[in-house]
């Protein structure tokens, strides 16, 4: 067990309040006098979640988006955010970050409520934290609500951000739209809010479709079967890397999608398709939930062995 | 204007929601269906808020205590916390931190609700963030509620933690009780909750009594006069540094007290003294609020010039 895994296991033993959901969900859910508060805190770190030469405004966007994606996965409406910011003595970077922060706050109608600013040495990697607070008037789906017989669905397209990262990191040629998906993810807030009453389990896809689906299977105590052939790919991604099985496995194990992964009973399918049409956002079935445990893959009629790495293990 | 001051000013322009209180109070206050949520996010950074060789368990305690002190200053009852933790590959440090975290969570009856853990290089300074969420059924005092004619009060004793820091940093001899005040501050949660309905303005003393009193004067649009002779000093501090004017100025400009500073009308004095007796916590008048602006000092009958530095300017 890595020291990081050991640390998180030890934290779980301390987080005994039911509101913490065992630190195994996208967010904490606190019952408070008739309403439900949904709380999440995610950090973005240079070299892990963003590249040192990413535009600072995009880093601000991502800091907000990754946290709002957690709220979206719980169907919560954002109320505000608190930010922890480390100054490294680069006023130009900070100014550009602030411009992006202003743009993102406006785009998401998110009030900035507070936070803290500290100075760190210029040699330290940038590490920024955000706490997002949301509220839900209804049910707050967890990762553990998937039941045998339900269909597995995903929003949007998968693998774009992973391709964007490779384009940036390795200097490969590729569409700007893929880079944009890496730098400016879109939290699916409207879809999450509308889906929450319909789904079994719901979570966001941040570390890779396969690893996150495996987490849903584990949390729910079920088996999940994904059909790679049904995984939605953007036209830009197909142009960049093709649509063969190898390309699909790369897309399914790349991170940073920030799409919604959810299970739902068959009876909800028509409503989900209608919602997709209304929101102009693809919502497609990609697999099913079965009795048993773990994740298995197929590609159309073929069974596909699980790749060695299913996604990002630690971040 | 330093780049840090410029950055914070720019953030204030973005934090236009009334709940943010202009980023000028100890915490944000969000009205939510009949209750008030009180939210704060403070970071502690190695070399700024704690020393590299402070025991890791004490760092965990301080991370919780400084945030709970903000809730105390708003009279809020803590509901829970989310932590942002940076792993630096030192499993022994992390284990000792977790032991202290467990102790502090239990001591403050604080549920750990969530957070994030990231890995950073071993050369980066440790920077830990915590978001504390509290609730208040009644009025949430601000820094801006001081009115001419009110008395200025402070809880506990002032200057102990500053002496503790000097003892540790400079290797001076001094009482362990002073070091403990630096490493394990006591958030005044019970006192804060009971005082909230009685006070004009209330805030915690984190950067130094004088600089924080000056902030209260500025926020309230009043003058504040502090009598150094009435400033409460612990017997350990008097033994360490004496009780002369110079020692009092050192105590009044040192940080890390995490005591409550508040103004209250004369009519509340008996109730405040009774509360002090009930809680076993000193609550003493140290000055008064007047028409005008800024901070002025006296020492008994003598007017005392303001020292050049009133406390910590940026952290």
């Amino acid at each position: 067990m890595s020291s990081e895994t050991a640390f998180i296991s030890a934290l779980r033993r301390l987080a005994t309040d039911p509101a913490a959901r065992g630190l195994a969900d996208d967010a904490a859910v606190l019952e408070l006098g008739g309403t439900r508060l949904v709380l999440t805190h995610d950090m973005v770190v240079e070299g892990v979640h963003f590249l040192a030469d990413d535009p600072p405004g995009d880093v601000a966007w991502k800091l907000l988006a990754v946290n709002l994606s957690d709220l979206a996965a719980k169907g919560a409406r954002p109320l505000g955010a608190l930010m922890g910011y480390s100054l490294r003595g680069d006023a130009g970077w900070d100014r550009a970050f602030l411009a992006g922060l202003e743009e993102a706050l406006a785009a998401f109608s998110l009030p900035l409520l507070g936070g803290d600013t500290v100075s760190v040495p210029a040699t330290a990697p940038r590490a920024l934290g955000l706490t997002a607070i949301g509220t839900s008037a209804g049910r707050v789906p967890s990762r553990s609500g998937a039941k045998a017989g339900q269909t597995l669905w995903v929003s949007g397209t998968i693998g774009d951000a992973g391709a964007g990262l490779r384009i940036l990191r390795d200097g490969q040629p590729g569409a700007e739209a893929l880079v944009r998906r890496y730098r400016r993810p879109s939290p699916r807030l409207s879809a999450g809010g509308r889906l929450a009453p319909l789904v079994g389990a719901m979570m966001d896809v941040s570390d890779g479709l396969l690893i996150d689906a495996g987490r849903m299977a584990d949390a729910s105590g079920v088996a999940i079967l994904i059909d790679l052939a049904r995984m939605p790919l953007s036209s830009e991604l197909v142009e960049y890397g093709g649509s063969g099985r190898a390309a699909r496995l790369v897309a399914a194990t790349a991170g940073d999608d920030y799409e919604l992964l959810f299970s739902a009973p068959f009876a909800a399918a028509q409503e989900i398709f209608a919602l997709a049409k209304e929101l102009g956002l693809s919502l497609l079935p990609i697999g099913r939930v079965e009795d048993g445990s773990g994740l298995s893959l197929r590609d159309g009629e073929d069974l596909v062995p699980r790749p060695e790495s299913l996604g990002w293990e630690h971040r």
Side-chain angles (χ1 to χ4, degrees), chain A residues 139-154:
Chain A
R139 180 172 165 266
V140 180
S142 74
R143 293 183 177 188
S144 60
K147 293 199 170 25
Q150 293 183 336
T151 306
L152 187 73
W153 299 70
V154 76

mmCIF file with all atom_site columns, all heavy atoms in Angstrom, chain A residues 139-154:
data_model
loop_
_atom_site.group_PDB
_atom_site.id
_atom_site.type_symbol
_atom_site.label_atom_id
_atom_site.label_alt_id
_atom_site.label_comp_id
_atom_site.label_asym_id
_atom_site.label_entity_id
_atom_site.label_seq_id
_atom_site.pdbx_PDB_ins_code
_atom_site.Cartn_x
_atom_site.Cartn_y
_atom_site.Cartn_z
_atom_site.occupancy
_atom_site.B_iso_or_equiv
_atom_site.pdbx_formal_charge
_atom_site.auth_seq_id
_atom_site.auth_comp_id
_atom_site.auth_asym_id
_atom_site.auth_atom_id
_atom_site.pdbx_PDB_model_num
ATOM 1   N N   . ARG A 1 139 ? -33.308 14.456 -3.399  1.00 0.00 ? 139 ARG A N   1
ATOM 2   C CA  . ARG A 1 139 ? -32.436 13.339 -3.144  1.00 0.00 ? 139 ARG A CA  1
ATOM 3   C C   . ARG A 1 139 ? -31.031 13.659 -3.660  1.00 0.00 ? 139 ARG A C   1
ATOM 4   O O   . ARG A 1 139 ? -30.860 14.253 -4.708  1.00 0.00 ? 139 ARG A O   1
ATOM 5   C CB  . ARG A 1 139 ? -33.023 12.153 -3.896  1.00 0.00 ? 139 ARG A CB  1
ATOM 6   C CG  . ARG A 1 139 ? -32.253 10.903 -3.764  1.00 0.00 ? 139 ARG A CG  1
ATOM 7   C CD  . ARG A 1 139 ? -33.064 9.759  -4.391  1.00 0.00 ? 139 ARG A CD  1
ATOM 8   N NE  . ARG A 1 139 ? -32.157 8.644  -4.579  1.00 0.00 ? 139 ARG A NE  1
ATOM 9   C CZ  . ARG A 1 139 ? -31.496 8.415  -5.713  1.00 0.00 ? 139 ARG A CZ  1
ATOM 10  N NH1 . ARG A 1 139 ? -31.684 9.194  -6.750  1.00 0.00 ? 139 ARG A NH1 1
ATOM 11  N NH2 . ARG A 1 139 ? -30.655 7.415  -5.787  1.00 0.00 ? 139 ARG A NH2 1
ATOM 12  N N   . VAL A 1 140 ? -30.006 13.228 -2.917  1.00 0.00 ? 140 VAL A N   1
ATOM 13  C CA  . VAL A 1 140 ? -28.618 13.431 -3.340  1.00 0.00 ? 140 VAL A CA  1
ATOM 14  C C   . VAL A 1 140 ? -28.027 12.066 -3.673  1.00 0.00 ? 140 VAL A C   1
ATOM 15  O O   . VAL A 1 140 ? -27.698 11.303 -2.773  1.00 0.00 ? 140 VAL A O   1
ATOM 16  C CB  . VAL A 1 140 ? -27.797 14.122 -2.241  1.00 0.00 ? 140 VAL A CB  1
ATOM 17  C CG1 . VAL A 1 140 ? -26.358 14.314 -2.703  1.00 0.00 ? 140 VAL A CG1 1
ATOM 18  C CG2 . VAL A 1 140 ? -28.413 15.466 -1.876  1.00 0.00 ? 140 VAL A CG2 1
ATOM 19  N N   . PRO A 1 141 ? -27.924 11.731 -4.959  1.00 0.00 ? 141 PRO A N   1
ATOM 20  C CA  . PRO A 1 141 ? -27.459 10.392 -5.317  1.00 0.00 ? 141 PRO A CA  1
ATOM 21  C C   . PRO A 1 141 ? -26.021 10.171 -4.878  1.00 0.00 ? 141 PRO A C   1
ATOM 22  O O   . PRO A 1 141 ? -25.209 11.095 -4.849  1.00 0.00 ? 141 PRO A O   1
ATOM 23  C CB  . PRO A 1 141 ? -27.577 10.360 -6.845  1.00 0.00 ? 141 PRO A CB  1
ATOM 24  C CG  . PRO A 1 141 ? -27.640 11.781 -7.272  1.00 0.00 ? 141 PRO A CG  1
ATOM 25  C CD  . PRO A 1 141 ? -28.211 12.570 -6.131  1.00 0.00 ? 141 PRO A CD  1
ATOM 26  N N   . SER A 1 142 ? -25.708 8.913  -4.542  1.00 0.00 ? 142 SER A N   1
ATOM 27  C CA  . SER A 1 142 ? -24.351 8.561  -4.151  1.00 0.00 ? 142 SER A CA  1
ATOM 28  C C   . SER A 1 142 ? -23.735 7.674  -5.219  1.00 0.00 ? 142 SER A C   1
ATOM 29  O O   . SER A 1 142 ? -24.368 7.352  -6.221  1.00 0.00 ? 142 SER A O   1
ATOM 30  C CB  . SER A 1 142 ? -24.372 7.843  -2.806  1.00 0.00 ? 142 SER A CB  1
ATOM 31  O OG  . SER A 1 142 ? -24.866 6.529  -2.997  1.00 0.00 ? 142 SER A OG  1
ATOM 32  N N   . ARG A 1 143 ? -22.486 7.269  -4.986  1.00 0.00 ? 143 ARG A N   1
ATOM 33  C CA  . ARG A 1 143 ? -21.851 6.314  -5.892  1.00 0.00 ? 143 ARG A CA  1
ATOM 34  C C   . ARG A 1 143 ? -22.348 4.892  -5.647  1.00 0.00 ? 143 ARG A C   1
ATOM 35  O O   . ARG A 1 143 ? -22.075 3.997  -6.428  1.00 0.00 ? 143 ARG A O   1
ATOM 36  C CB  . ARG A 1 143 ? -20.338 6.300  -5.655  1.00 0.00 ? 143 ARG A CB  1
ATOM 37  C CG  . ARG A 1 143 ? -19.664 7.576  -6.029  1.00 0.00 ? 143 ARG A CG  1
ATOM 38  C CD  . ARG A 1 143 ? -18.163 7.426  -5.820  1.00 0.00 ? 143 ARG A CD  1
ATOM 39  N NE  . ARG A 1 143 ? -17.485 8.645  -6.238  1.00 0.00 ? 143 ARG A NE  1
ATOM 40  C CZ  . ARG A 1 143 ? -16.178 8.765  -6.323  1.00 0.00 ? 143 ARG A CZ  1
ATOM 41  N NH1 . ARG A 1 143 ? -15.394 7.748  -6.003  1.00 0.00 ? 143 ARG A NH1 1
ATOM 42  N NH2 . ARG A 1 143 ? -15.639 9.898  -6.718  1.00 0.00 ? 143 ARG A NH2 1
ATOM 43  N N   . SER A 1 144 ? -23.043 4.710  -4.532  1.00 0.00 ? 144 SER A N   1
ATOM 44  C CA  . SER A 1 144 ? -23.338 3.343  -4.086  1.00 0.00 ? 144 SER A CA  1
ATOM 45  C C   . SER A 1 144 ? -24.754 2.913  -4.422  1.00 0.00 ? 144 SER A C   1
ATOM 46  O O   . SER A 1 144 ? -25.217 1.891  -3.933  1.00 0.00 ? 144 SER A O   1
ATOM 47  C CB  . SER A 1 144 ? -23.097 3.240  -2.578  1.00 0.00 ? 144 SER A CB  1
ATOM 48  O OG  . SER A 1 144 ? -23.930 4.150  -1.891  1.00 0.00 ? 144 SER A OG  1
ATOM 49  N N   . GLY A 1 145 ? -25.448 3.658  -5.285  1.00 0.00 ? 145 GLY A N   1
ATOM 50  C CA  . GLY A 1 145 ? -26.852 3.352  -5.541  1.00 0.00 ? 145 GLY A CA  1
ATOM 51  C C   . GLY A 1 145 ? -27.123 2.526  -6.792  1.00 0.00 ? 145 GLY A C   1
ATOM 52  O O   . GLY A 1 145 ? -28.279 2.388  -7.201  1.00 0.00 ? 145 GLY A O   1
ATOM 53  N N   . ALA A 1 146 ? -26.062 1.988  -7.429  1.00 0.00 ? 146 ALA A N   1
ATOM 54  C CA  . ALA A 1 146 ? -26.294 1.200  -8.655  1.00 0.00 ? 146 ALA A CA  1
ATOM 55  C C   . ALA A 1 146 ? -26.859 -0.172 -8.301  1.00 0.00 ? 146 ALA A C   1
ATOM 56  O O   . ALA A 1 146 ? -26.380 -0.815 -7.365  1.00 0.00 ? 146 ALA A O   1
ATOM 57  C CB  . ALA A 1 146 ? -24.989 1.064  -9.439  1.00 0.00 ? 146 ALA A CB  1
ATOM 58  N N   . LYS A 1 147 ? -27.854 -0.610 -9.054  1.00 0.00 ? 147 LYS A N   1
ATOM 59  C CA  . LYS A 1 147 ? -28.515 -1.896 -8.762  1.00 0.00 ? 147 LYS A CA  1
ATOM 60  C C   . LYS A 1 147 ? -28.541 -2.761 -10.020 1.00 0.00 ? 147 LYS A C   1
ATOM 61  O O   . LYS A 1 147 ? -28.687 -2.251 -11.135 1.00 0.00 ? 147 LYS A O   1
ATOM 62  C CB  . LYS A 1 147 ? -29.949 -1.647 -8.285  1.00 0.00 ? 147 LYS A CB  1
ATOM 63  C CG  . LYS A 1 147 ? -30.011 -0.952 -6.938  1.00 0.00 ? 147 LYS A CG  1
ATOM 64  C CD  . LYS A 1 147 ? -31.350 -1.120 -6.256  1.00 0.00 ? 147 LYS A CD  1
ATOM 65  C CE  . LYS A 1 147 ? -31.321 -0.625 -4.810  1.00 0.00 ? 147 LYS A CE  1
ATOM 66  N NZ  . LYS A 1 147 ? -30.306 0.388  -4.488  1.00 0.00 ? 147 LYS A NZ  1
ATOM 67  N N   . ALA A 1 148 ? -28.405 -4.061 -9.814  1.00 0.00 ? 148 ALA A N   1
ATOM 68  C CA  . ALA A 1 148 ? -28.428 -5.013 -10.931 1.00 0.00 ? 148 ALA A CA  1
ATOM 69  C C   . ALA A 1 148 ? -29.685 -4.792 -11.764 1.00 0.00 ? 148 ALA A C   1
ATOM 70  O O   . ALA A 1 148 ? -30.775 -4.596 -11.214 1.00 0.00 ? 148 ALA A O   1
ATOM 71  C CB  . ALA A 1 148 ? -28.375 -6.436 -10.399 1.00 0.00 ? 148 ALA A CB  1
ATOM 72  N N   . GLY A 1 149 ? -29.513 -4.804 -13.067 1.00 0.00 ? 149 GLY A N   1
ATOM 73  C CA  . GLY A 1 149 ? -30.631 -4.567 -13.969 1.00 0.00 ? 149 GLY A CA  1
ATOM 74  C C   . GLY A 1 149 ? -30.676 -3.146 -14.501 1.00 0.00 ? 149 GLY A C   1
ATOM 75  O O   . GLY A 1 149 ? -31.332 -2.887 -15.513 1.00 0.00 ? 149 GLY A O   1
ATOM 76  N N   . GLN A 1 150 ? -30.009 -2.214 -13.819 1.00 0.00 ? 150 GLN A N   1
ATOM 77  C CA  . GLN A 1 150 ? -30.001 -0.834 -14.299 1.00 0.00 ? 150 GLN A CA  1
ATOM 78  C C   . GLN A 1 150 ? -29.054 -0.686 -15.498 1.00 0.00 ? 150 GLN A C   1
ATOM 79  O O   . GLN A 1 150 ? -28.138 -1.491 -15.697 1.00 0.00 ? 150 GLN A O   1
ATOM 80  C CB  . GLN A 1 150 ? -29.590 0.132  -13.178 1.00 0.00 ? 150 GLN A CB  1
ATOM 81  C CG  . GLN A 1 150 ? -30.637 0.200  -12.052 1.00 0.00 ? 150 GLN A CG  1
ATOM 82  C CD  . GLN A 1 150 ? -30.306 1.206  -10.963 1.00 0.00 ? 150 GLN A CD  1
ATOM 83  O OE1 . GLN A 1 150 ? -29.150 1.556  -10.765 1.00 0.00 ? 150 GLN A OE1 1
ATOM 84  N NE2 . GLN A 1 150 ? -31.329 1.661  -10.256 1.00 0.00 ? 150 GLN A NE2 1
ATOM 85  N N   . THR A 1 151 ? -29.288 0.373  -16.251 1.00 0.00 ? 151 THR A N   1
ATOM 86  C CA  . THR A 1 151 ? -28.435 0.704  -17.389 1.00 0.00 ? 151 THR A CA  1
ATOM 87  C C   . THR A 1 151 ? -27.388 1.712  -16.922 1.00 0.00 ? 151 THR A C   1
ATOM 88  O O   . THR A 1 151 ? -27.659 2.552  -16.068 1.00 0.00 ? 151 THR A O   1
ATOM 89  C CB  . THR A 1 151 ? -29.293 1.334  -18.506 1.00 0.00 ? 151 THR A CB  1
ATOM 90  O OG1 . THR A 1 151 ? -30.366 0.442  -18.795 1.00 0.00 ? 151 THR A OG1 1
ATOM 91  C CG2 . THR A 1 151 ? -28.474 1.597  -19.752 1.00 0.00 ? 151 THR A CG2 1
ATOM 92  N N   . LEU A 1 152 ? -26.167 1.618  -17.494 1.00 0.00 ? 152 LEU A N   1
ATOM 93  C CA  . LEU A 1 152 ? -25.119 2.596  -17.183 1.00 0.00 ? 152 LEU A CA  1
ATOM 94  C C   . LEU A 1 152 ? -25.070 3.630  -18.305 1.00 0.00 ? 152 LEU A C   1
ATOM 95  O O   . LEU A 1 152 ? -25.062 3.273  -19.489 1.00 0.00 ? 152 LEU A O   1
ATOM 96  C CB  . LEU A 1 152 ? -23.762 1.882  -17.072 1.00 0.00 ? 152 LEU A CB  1
ATOM 97  C CG  . LEU A 1 152 ? -22.611 2.769  -16.584 1.00 0.00 ? 152 LEU A CG  1
ATOM 98  C CD1 . LEU A 1 152 ? -22.764 3.045  -15.090 1.00 0.00 ? 152 LEU A CD1 1
ATOM 99  C CD2 . LEU A 1 152 ? -21.261 2.116  -16.876 1.00 0.00 ? 152 LEU A CD2 1
ATOM 100 N N   . TRP A 1 153 ? -25.053 4.891  -17.921 1.00 0.00 ? 153 TRP A N   1
ATOM 101 C CA  . TRP A 1 153 ? -25.096 6.000  -18.876 1.00 0.00 ? 153 TRP A CA  1
ATOM 102 C C   . TRP A 1 153 ? -23.895 6.920  -18.657 1.00 0.00 ? 153 TRP A C   1
ATOM 103 O O   . TRP A 1 153 ? -23.345 6.996  -17.554 1.00 0.00 ? 153 TRP A O   1
ATOM 104 C CB  . TRP A 1 153 ? -26.344 6.855  -18.667 1.00 0.00 ? 153 TRP A CB  1
ATOM 105 C CG  . TRP A 1 153 ? -27.650 6.180  -18.841 1.00 0.00 ? 153 TRP A CG  1
ATOM 106 C CD1 . TRP A 1 153 ? -28.223 5.230  -18.040 1.00 0.00 ? 153 TRP A CD1 1
ATOM 107 C CD2 . TRP A 1 153 ? -28.604 6.440  -19.884 1.00 0.00 ? 153 TRP A CD2 1
ATOM 108 N NE1 . TRP A 1 153 ? -29.463 4.878  -18.512 1.00 0.00 ? 153 TRP A NE1 1
ATOM 109 C CE2 . TRP A 1 153 ? -29.726 5.610  -19.632 1.00 0.00 ? 153 TRP A CE2 1
ATOM 110 C CE3 . TRP A 1 153 ? -28.632 7.303  -20.981 1.00 0.00 ? 153 TRP A CE3 1
ATOM 111 C CZ2 . TRP A 1 153 ? -30.856 5.617  -20.464 1.00 0.00 ? 153 TRP A CZ2 1
ATOM 112 C CZ3 . TRP A 1 153 ? -29.757 7.304  -21.804 1.00 0.00 ? 153 TRP A CZ3 1
ATOM 113 C CH2 . TRP A 1 153 ? -30.847 6.466  -21.556 1.00 0.00 ? 153 TRP A CH2 1
ATOM 114 N N   . VAL A 1 154 ? -23.568 7.670  -19.709 1.00 0.00 ? 154 VAL A N   1
ATOM 115 C CA  . VAL A 1 154 ? -22.565 8.720  -19.534 1.00 0.00 ? 154 VAL A CA  1
ATOM 116 C C   . VAL A 1 154 ? -22.989 9.952  -20.330 1.00 0.00 ? 154 VAL A C   1
ATOM 117 O O   . VAL A 1 154 ? -23.668 9.836  -21.362 1.00 0.00 ? 154 VAL A O   1
ATOM 118 C CB  . VAL A 1 154 ? -21.158 8.223  -19.960 1.00 0.00 ? 154 VAL A CB  1
ATOM 119 C CG1 . VAL A 1 154 ? -21.005 8.171  -21.479 1.00 0.00 ? 154 VAL A CG1 1
ATOM 120 C CG2 . VAL A 1 154 ? -20.050 9.071  -19.339 1.00 0.00 ? 154 VAL A CG2 1
#
